[in-house]
Coordinates of all heavy atoms in Angstrom, one line a residue:
M1 N 29.7 -17.1 16.1 CA 29.7 -16.7 14.6 C 31.1 -16.9 14.0 O 32.0 -16.3 14.5 CB 29.0 -15.4 14.5 CG 28.9 -15.0 12.9 SD 28.1 -13.4 12.7 CE 29.4 -12.3 13.3
N2 N 31.1 -17.4 12.9 CA 32.4 -17.5 12.1 C 32.6 -16.2 11.3 O 31.6 -15.8 10.6 CB 32.3 -18.7 11.1 CG 33.5 -18.9 10.3 OD1 34.3 -18.0 10.2 ND2 33.7 -20.1 9.9
D3 N 33.6 -15.6 11.5 CA 33.9 -14.3 10.8 C 34.7 -14.4 9.4 O 35.4 -13.5 8.9 CB 34.7 -13.3 11.6 CG 33.8 -12.9 12.8 OD1 32.6 -12.6 12.5 OD2 34.4 -12.7 13.8
S4 N 34.7 -15.6 8.9 CA 35.5 -15.9 7.7 C 35.1 -15.2 6.5 O 35.8 -15.0 5.5 CB 35.5 -17.4 7.4 OG 34.2 -17.8 6.9
G5 N 33.7 -14.7 6.4 CA 33.3 -13.9 5.3 C 32.7 -14.9 4.2 O 32.3 -14.4 3.2
H6 N 32.8 -16.1 4.4 CA 32.3 -17.1 3.4 C 31.0 -17.9 4.1 O 31.0 -18.0 5.2 CB 33.3 -18.2 3.1 CG 34.6 -17.5 2.5 ND1 34.5 -16.9 1.3 CD2 35.9 -17.3 3.0 CE1 35.8 -16.4 1.1 NE2 36.6 -16.7 2.1
G7 N 30.2 -18.3 3.2 CA 29.0 -19.0 3.6 C 27.8 -18.2 3.8 O 27.7 -17.1 3.1
R8 N 26.9 -18.7 4.5 CA 25.6 -18.0 4.6 C 25.4 -17.5 6.1 O 25.9 -18.2 7.0 CB 24.4 -18.9 4.2 CG 24.6 -19.4 2.7 CD 23.5 -20.3 2.3 NE 23.4 -21.4 3.3 CZ 22.4 -22.3 3.2 NH1 21.4 -22.2 2.4 NH2 22.3 -23.3 4.1
Y9 N 24.7 -16.4 6.2 CA 24.4 -15.9 7.6 C 22.9 -15.9 7.8 O 22.1 -15.8 6.9 CB 25.0 -14.5 7.6 CG 26.4 -14.5 7.4 CD1 27.1 -14.5 6.1 CD2 27.3 -14.5 8.5 CE1 28.5 -14.4 6.0 CE2 28.7 -14.5 8.3 CZ 29.2 -14.5 7.0 OH 30.6 -14.5 7.0
F10 N 22.5 -15.8 9.0 CA 21.1 -15.8 9.4 C 20.9 -14.8 10.6 O 21.9 -14.5 11.3 CB 20.7 -17.2 9.9 CG 20.9 -18.2 9.0 CD1 22.1 -18.8 8.7 CD2 19.8 -18.7 8.1 CE1 22.2 -19.9 7.7 CE2 19.9 -19.7 7.2 CZ 21.1 -20.3 7.0
W11 N 19.7 -14.3 10.7 CA 19.3 -13.5 11.9 C 18.5 -14.4 12.8 O 17.6 -14.9 12.4 CB 18.5 -12.3 11.5 CG 18.2 -11.4 12.7 CD1 17.0 -11.4 13.3 CD2 19.1 -10.6 13.5 NE1 17.1 -10.6 14.4 CE2 18.4 -10.2 14.6 CE3 20.4 -10.3 13.4 CZ2 18.9 -9.3 15.6 CZ3 21.0 -9.5 14.4 CH2 20.2 -9.1 15.4
C12 N 19.1 -14.5 14.0 CA 18.4 -15.4 15.0 C 17.5 -14.4 15.8 O 17.9 -13.6 16.5 CB 19.4 -16.0 16.0 SG 18.6 -17.0 17.2
T13 N 16.1 -14.8 15.7 CA 15.1 -14.0 16.4 C 15.0 -14.5 17.9 O 14.5 -13.7 18.8 CB 13.7 -14.3 15.8 OG1 13.4 -15.7 15.8 CG2 13.7 -13.8 14.3
R14 N 15.7 -15.5 18.2 CA 15.7 -16.0 19.6 C 16.9 -15.3 20.4 O 16.7 -14.8 21.6 CB 15.9 -17.5 19.7 CG 16.0 -18.1 21.0 CD 16.0 -19.6 20.9 NE 16.0 -20.2 22.2 CZ 16.5 -21.4 22.5 NH1 16.8 -22.2 21.4 NH2 16.3 -21.9 23.7
H15 N 18.1 -15.2 19.8 CA 19.2 -14.6 20.5 C 19.5 -13.1 20.0 O 20.4 -12.5 20.5 CB 20.4 -15.5 20.1 CG 20.4 -16.8 20.7 ND1 20.2 -17.9 19.9 CD2 20.3 -17.3 22.0 CE1 20.1 -19.0 20.7 NE2 20.2 -18.6 22.0
H16 N 18.7 -12.6 19.0 CA 18.8 -11.3 18.4 C 20.3 -11.0 18.0 O 21.0 -10.0 18.5 CB 18.4 -10.3 19.5 CG 17.0 -10.6 20.0 ND1 15.9 -10.2 19.3 CD2 16.6 -11.1 21.1 CE1 14.9 -10.6 20.0 NE2 15.2 -11.2 21.1
R17 N 20.8 -12.0 17.2 CA 22.2 -11.8 16.7 C 22.3 -12.5 15.4 O 21.5 -13.3 14.9 CB 23.2 -12.4 17.6 CG 23.0 -13.9 17.7 CD 24.0 -14.5 18.7 NE 23.9 -15.9 18.7 CZ 24.2 -16.7 19.7 NH1 24.7 -16.2 20.8 NH2 24.0 -18.0 19.6
V18 N 23.4 -12.1 14.6 CA 23.7 -12.8 13.4 C 24.4 -14.2 13.7 O 25.2 -14.2 14.6 CB 24.7 -11.9 12.6 CG1 25.3 -12.7 11.3 CG2 24.1 -10.6 12.1
E19 N 24.0 -15.2 13.0 CA 24.7 -16.5 13.1 C 25.1 -16.9 11.8 O 24.5 -16.7 10.8 CB 23.7 -17.4 13.8 CG 23.2 -17.0 15.2 CD 22.3 -17.9 15.8 OE1 21.7 -18.9 15.1 OE2 22.1 -17.8 17.1
H20 N 26.2 -17.6 11.8 CA 26.9 -18.2 10.6 C 26.3 -19.6 10.4 O 25.9 -20.3 11.4 CB 28.3 -18.3 10.7 CG 29.0 -18.6 9.5 ND1 29.4 -19.9 9.2 CD2 29.4 -17.9 8.4 CE1 29.9 -20.0 8.0 NE2 30.0 -18.7 7.5
E21 N 26.2 -20.1 9.2 CA 25.7 -21.4 8.9 C 26.4 -22.5 9.7 O 25.7 -23.5 10.0 CB 25.7 -21.7 7.4 CG 27.0 -21.9 6.8 CD 27.0 -22.1 5.3 OE1 25.9 -22.4 4.8 OE2 28.0 -21.9 4.7
A22 N 27.6 -22.3 10.1 CA 28.3 -23.3 10.8 C 27.9 -23.5 12.2 O 28.0 -24.5 12.8 CB 29.8 -23.0 10.9
D23 N 27.1 -22.5 12.7 CA 26.6 -22.5 14.1 C 25.3 -21.7 14.2 O 25.2 -20.7 14.7 CB 27.7 -22.0 15.0 CG 27.3 -22.1 16.6 OD1 26.5 -23.0 16.8 OD2 27.6 -21.2 17.3
V24 N 24.2 -22.3 13.6 CA 23.0 -21.6 13.5 C 21.9 -22.3 14.3 O 21.9 -23.5 14.5 CB 22.6 -21.4 12.0 CG1 22.3 -22.7 11.4 CG2 21.4 -20.4 12.0
C25 N 21.0 -21.6 14.9 CA 19.9 -22.1 15.7 C 18.9 -22.8 14.7 O 19.0 -22.7 13.5 CB 19.1 -21.0 16.3 SG 20.0 -20.5 17.8
P26 N 18.0 -23.6 15.2 CA 16.9 -24.2 14.3 C 16.2 -23.3 13.5 O 16.0 -22.0 13.9 CB 16.0 -24.9 15.4 CG 16.8 -25.1 16.6 CD 17.7 -23.9 16.6
A27 N 15.7 -23.7 12.3 CA 15.1 -22.8 11.3 C 13.9 -22.1 11.9 O 13.7 -20.9 11.4 CB 14.6 -23.7 10.1
R28 N 13.3 -22.6 12.8 CA 12.1 -21.8 13.5 C 12.5 -20.5 14.1 O 11.6 -19.6 14.4 CB 11.2 -22.7 14.3 CG 11.9 -23.0 15.6 CD 10.9 -23.9 16.5 NE 11.6 -24.2 17.7 CZ 12.3 -25.4 17.9 NH1 12.5 -26.2 17.0 NH2 12.7 -25.6 19.1
H29 N 13.8 -20.3 14.4 CA 14.2 -19.2 15.1 C 15.1 -18.2 14.3 O 15.6 -17.2 14.8 CB 15.2 -19.6 16.3 CG 14.4 -20.5 17.3 ND1 13.4 -19.9 18.1 CD2 14.6 -21.7 17.8 CE1 13.0 -20.8 18.9 NE2 13.7 -21.9 18.7
V30 N 15.2 -18.6 12.9 CA 16.1 -17.7 12.2 C 15.4 -17.1 10.8 O 14.5 -17.7 10.4 CB 17.4 -18.4 11.8 CG1 18.2 -18.8 13.0 CG2 17.1 -19.6 10.9
L31 N 16.0 -16.0 10.4 CA 15.6 -15.4 9.1 C 16.8 -15.6 8.2 O 17.9 -15.3 8.7 CB 15.2 -13.9 9.3 CG 14.1 -13.6 10.2 CD1 13.9 -12.1 10.3 CD2 12.8 -14.2 9.6
G32 N 16.6 -15.9 7.0 CA 17.7 -16.0 6.1 C 17.6 -17.3 5.3 O 16.5 -18.0 5.3
P33 N 18.6 -17.6 4.5 CA 19.9 -17.2 4.6 C 20.2 -15.9 3.9 O 19.5 -15.4 3.0 CB 20.8 -18.3 3.9 CG 19.8 -18.8 2.9 CD 18.5 -18.7 3.5
Y34 N 21.3 -15.2 4.3 CA 21.8 -14.0 3.6 C 23.3 -14.2 3.2 O 23.9 -14.9 3.8 CB 21.6 -12.8 4.6 CG 20.2 -12.6 5.1 CD1 19.7 -13.1 6.2 CD2 19.4 -11.8 4.2 CE1 18.4 -12.9 6.5 CE2 18.1 -11.5 4.6 CZ 17.6 -12.1 5.7 OH 16.3 -11.9 6.2
A35 N 23.6 -13.4 2.2 CA 24.9 -13.6 1.7 C 26.1 -13.0 2.7 O 27.2 -13.3 2.6 CB 25.1 -13.0 0.3
S36 N 25.6 -12.0 3.5 CA 26.6 -11.4 4.3 C 26.1 -11.2 5.7 O 24.9 -11.2 5.8 CB 27.0 -9.9 3.7 OG 25.9 -9.1 3.9
A37 N 26.9 -11.0 6.6 CA 26.5 -10.7 8.0 C 25.8 -9.4 8.1 O 24.8 -9.2 8.8 CB 27.8 -10.7 8.9
A38 N 26.1 -8.4 7.3 CA 25.5 -7.1 7.3 C 24.0 -7.3 6.8 O 23.1 -6.6 7.4 CB 26.2 -6.1 6.4
D39 N 23.8 -8.1 5.8 CA 22.5 -8.3 5.3 C 21.6 -8.9 6.4 O 20.5 -8.7 6.6 CB 22.5 -9.2 4.1 CG 23.0 -8.4 2.9 OD1 23.0 -7.1 2.8 OD2 23.2 -9.1 1.8
A40 N 22.2 -10.0 7.1 CA 21.5 -10.6 8.2 C 21.2 -9.7 9.3 O 20.1 -9.8 9.8 CB 22.4 -11.8 8.6
E41 N 22.1 -8.8 9.6 CA 21.8 -7.8 10.7 C 20.7 -6.9 10.4 O 20.1 -6.4 11.3 CB 23.2 -7.1 10.9 CG 23.1 -6.3 12.2 CD 24.5 -5.7 12.6 OE1 25.5 -6.0 11.9 OE2 24.5 -5.0 13.6
N42 N 20.5 -6.7 9.1 CA 19.4 -5.7 8.6 C 18.1 -6.5 8.3 O 17.2 -5.9 7.8 CB 19.9 -4.9 7.4 CG 21.0 -4.0 7.9 OD1 20.9 -3.3 8.9 ND2 22.0 -3.9 7.0
A43 N 18.1 -7.8 8.7 CA 16.9 -8.6 8.3 C 15.6 -8.0 8.9 O 14.6 -7.9 8.1 CB 17.1 -10.0 8.8
L44 N 15.5 -7.6 10.1 CA 14.3 -7.1 10.6 C 13.8 -5.8 10.0 O 12.6 -5.6 9.9 CB 14.4 -6.9 12.2 CG 14.6 -8.2 13.0 CD1 14.7 -8.0 14.4 CD2 13.5 -9.2 12.8
Q45 N 14.8 -4.9 9.7 CA 14.4 -3.7 9.0 C 13.8 -4.0 7.6 O 12.7 -3.5 7.2 CB 15.5 -2.7 8.8 CG 15.3 -1.5 8.1 CD 14.3 -0.7 8.8 OE1 14.1 -0.7 10.0 NE2 13.5 0.1 8.0
K46 N 14.4 -5.0 7.0 CA 13.8 -5.4 5.6 C 12.5 -6.1 5.8 O 11.6 -5.7 4.9 CB 14.8 -6.4 5.0 CG 14.4 -6.9 3.6 CD 14.2 -5.8 2.6 CE 15.6 -5.6 1.9 NZ 15.6 -4.6 0.8
V47 N 12.2 -6.8 6.8 CA 10.9 -7.3 7.1 C 9.9 -6.3 7.3 O 8.8 -6.3 6.8 CB 11.0 -8.3 8.3 CG1 9.5 -8.6 8.7 CG2 11.7 -9.6 7.9
R48 N 10.2 -5.2 8.1 CA 9.4 -4.1 8.4 C 9.1 -3.4 7.1 O 7.8 -3.1 6.8 CB 10.0 -3.1 9.3 CG 9.9 -3.5 10.8 CD 10.4 -2.4 11.7 NE 11.0 -3.0 12.8 CZ 12.4 -3.2 12.9 NH1 13.2 -2.7 12.1 NH2 12.9 -3.8 13.9
E49 N 10.0 -3.1 6.2 CA 9.8 -2.5 5.0 C 8.8 -3.2 4.0 O 8.0 -2.6 3.4 CB 11.1 -2.2 4.3 CG 12.0 -1.1 4.9 CD 13.5 -1.1 4.4 OE1 13.8 -1.9 3.4 OE2 14.3 -0.3 4.9
R50 N 9.2 -4.5 3.9 CA 8.3 -5.3 3.1 C 6.8 -5.4 3.6 O 5.9 -5.3 2.9 CB 8.8 -6.7 2.9 CG 10.1 -6.9 2.1 CD 10.6 -8.2 2.1 NE 11.8 -8.3 1.2 CZ 12.7 -9.3 1.2 NH1 12.5 -10.3 2.1 NH2 13.7 -9.2 0.4
N51 N 6.7 -5.5 4.9 CA 5.3 -5.5 5.5 C 4.6 -4.2 5.2 O 3.5 -4.2 4.9 CB 5.4 -5.8 7.1 CG 5.6 -7.2 7.3 OD1 5.5 -8.1 6.6 ND2 6.0 -7.4 8.6
E52 N 5.3 -3.0 5.4 CA 4.7 -1.8 5.2 C 4.3 -1.6 3.6 O 3.1 -1.1 3.3 CB 5.6 -0.7 5.5 CG 5.8 -0.5 6.9 CD 6.9 0.5 7.4 OE1 7.6 1.1 6.4 OE2 7.2 0.6 8.6
A53 N 5.1 -2.1 2.7 CA 4.8 -2.1 1.3 C 3.5 -3.0 1.0 O 2.7 -2.6 0.3 CB 6.0 -2.6 0.5
W54 N 3.5 -4.2 1.6 CA 2.4 -5.1 1.4 C 1.1 -4.5 1.9 O 0.1 -4.5 1.3 CB 2.7 -6.5 1.9 CG 3.7 -7.2 1.3 CD1 4.1 -7.1 -0.1 CD2 4.5 -8.2 1.8 NE1 5.1 -8.0 -0.3 CE2 5.3 -8.7 0.8 CE3 4.6 -8.8 3.1 CZ2 6.3 -9.7 1.0 CZ3 5.6 -9.7 3.3 CH2 6.4 -10.2 2.2
E55 N 1.2 -3.8 3.1 CA 0.0 -3.2 3.7 C -0.6 -2.0 2.9 O -1.7 -1.9 2.7 CB 0.3 -2.8 5.1 CG 0.4 -4.0 6.1 CD 1.0 -3.6 7.5 OE1 1.2 -2.4 7.7 OE2 1.2 -4.5 8.3
A56 N 0.4 -1.3 2.3 CA 0.1 -0.2 1.4 C -0.6 -0.7 0.2 O -1.6 -0.2 -0.3 CB 1.3 0.7 1.1
E57 N -0.1 -1.8 -0.4 CA -0.7 -2.4 -1.6 C -2.1 -2.9 -1.2 O -3.0 -2.8 -2.1 CB 0.2 -3.5 -2.1 CG -0.3 -4.2 -3.3 CD -0.5 -3.3 -4.6 OE1 0.1 -2.2 -4.6 OE2 -1.2 -3.8 -5.5
D58 N -2.3 -3.6 -0.1 CA -3.5 -4.0 0.4 C -4.5 -3.0 0.5 O -5.7 -3.0 0.0 CB -3.4 -4.9 1.6 CG -2.8 -6.2 1.5 OD1 -2.6 -6.7 0.3 OD2 -2.4 -6.7 2.6
A59 N -4.1 -1.9 1.0 CA -5.0 -0.7 1.2 C -5.4 -0.1 -0.2 O -6.6 0.2 -0.4 CB -4.4 0.3 2.1
R60 N -4.4 0.0 -1.1 CA -4.7 0.5 -2.3 C -5.7 -0.4 -3.1 O -6.7 0.1 -3.7 CB -3.3 0.6 -3.2 CG -3.6 1.2 -4.5 CD -2.4 1.1 -5.5 NE -2.1 -0.3 -5.8 CZ -2.8 -1.0 -6.7 NH1 -3.7 -0.6 -7.4 NH2 -2.4 -2.3 -7.0
R61 N -5.6 -1.7 -3.0 CA -6.5 -2.6 -3.7 C -7.9 -2.5 -3.0 O -8.9 -2.6 -3.7 CB -6.0 -4.0 -3.6 CG -4.7 -4.2 -4.5 CD -4.3 -5.7 -4.6 NE -3.2 -5.8 -5.4 CZ -2.8 -7.0 -5.8 NH1 -3.4 -8.1 -5.4 NH2 -1.7 -7.1 -6.7
A62 N -7.9 -2.4 -1.8 CA -9.2 -2.3 -1.0 C -10.0 -1.0 -1.5 O -11.2 -1.1 -1.7 CB -9.0 -2.3 0.5
E63 N -9.2 0.0 -1.7 CA -9.8 1.3 -2.0 C -10.2 1.2 -3.5 O -11.3 1.6 -3.9 CB -8.8 2.4 -2.0 CG -9.2 3.8 -2.3 CD -8.2 4.8 -2.1 OE1 -7.7 4.9 -1.1 OE2 -8.0 5.6 -3.1
E64 N -9.4 0.5 -4.4 CA -10.0 0.3 -5.8 C -11.2 -0.5 -5.8 O -12.1 -0.2 -6.5 CB -8.9 -0.3 -6.6 CG -7.7 0.5 -7.0 CD -6.6 -0.2 -7.7 OE1 -6.8 -1.4 -7.9 OE2 -5.7 0.5 -8.1
D65 N -11.3 -1.6 -5.0 CA -12.4 -2.4 -4.9 C -13.7 -1.7 -4.5 O -14.7 -1.9 -5.0 CB -12.2 -3.6 -4.0 CG -11.2 -4.7 -4.6 OD1 -10.9 -4.6 -5.8 OD2 -10.7 -5.6 -3.9
G66 N -13.5 -0.8 -3.6 CA -14.6 0.0 -3.0 C -15.1 1.0 -4.1 O -16.2 1.3 -4.1
E67 N -14.3 1.5 -4.9 CA -14.6 2.5 -6.0 C -15.4 1.7 -7.1 O -16.3 2.3 -7.7 CB -13.4 3.1 -6.6 CG -12.8 4.0 -5.6 CD -11.5 4.7 -6.1 OE1 -11.1 4.4 -7.2 OE2 -10.9 5.4 -5.4
E68 N -15.1 0.5 -7.3 CA -15.8 -0.3 -8.4 C -17.2 -0.6 -8.1 O -18.0 -0.9 -8.9 CB -14.9 -1.5 -8.8 CG -13.6 -1.1 -9.4 CD -12.8 -2.4 -9.7 OE1 -13.4 -3.5 -9.6 OE2 -11.6 -2.3 -10.0
K69 N -17.5 -0.8 -6.8 CA -18.8 -1.3 -6.3 C -19.8 -0.2 -6.4 O -19.9 0.8 -6.5 CB -18.7 -1.8 -5.0 CG -17.9 -3.1 -4.9 CD -17.9 -3.8 -3.6 CE -17.0 -5.1 -3.6 NZ -16.9 -5.7 -2.4

């Protein structure tokens, strides 16, 4: 990984590490791009948070649909 602080960063799901655009695995193995290495390192946490929010929204909508019927 390039530590220059410039460019784009990715989280590699294959190697479980941050990778810089200069040396990144194929797209099927990465999340991103992110503006910083720190953002890339937190990618899986962000995915979990978004999934939880979407699941909560789905549950809320399902509940509303059940009340209307």
Side-chain angles (χ1 to χ4, degrees):
M1 178 179 74
N2 183 336
D3 291 326
S4 69
H6 300 290
R8 299 181 307 169
Y9 298 86
F10 300 83
W11 178 256
C12 179
T13 60
R14 184 176 181 195
H15 297 110
H16 307 282
R17 67 180 183 205
V18 174
E19 297 182 345
H20 189 265
E21 67 183 341
D23 185 30
V24 66
C25 284
R28 70 179 179 268
H29 296 297
V30 298
L31 300 172
Y34 298 94
S36 71
D39 287 345
E41 191 168 358
N42 293 316
L44 292 179
Q45 179 61 32
K46 182 60 89 172
V47 167
R48 278 187 219 99
E49 291 169 2
R50 288 178 179 164
N51 285 345
E52 289 171 4
W54 290 332
E55 288 170 5
E57 179 64 14
D58 288 347
R60 183 189 66 77
R61 288 183 181 195
E63 186 176 304
E64 285 178 359
D65 289 345
E67 292 175 359
E68 291 177 10
K69 291 181 180 179

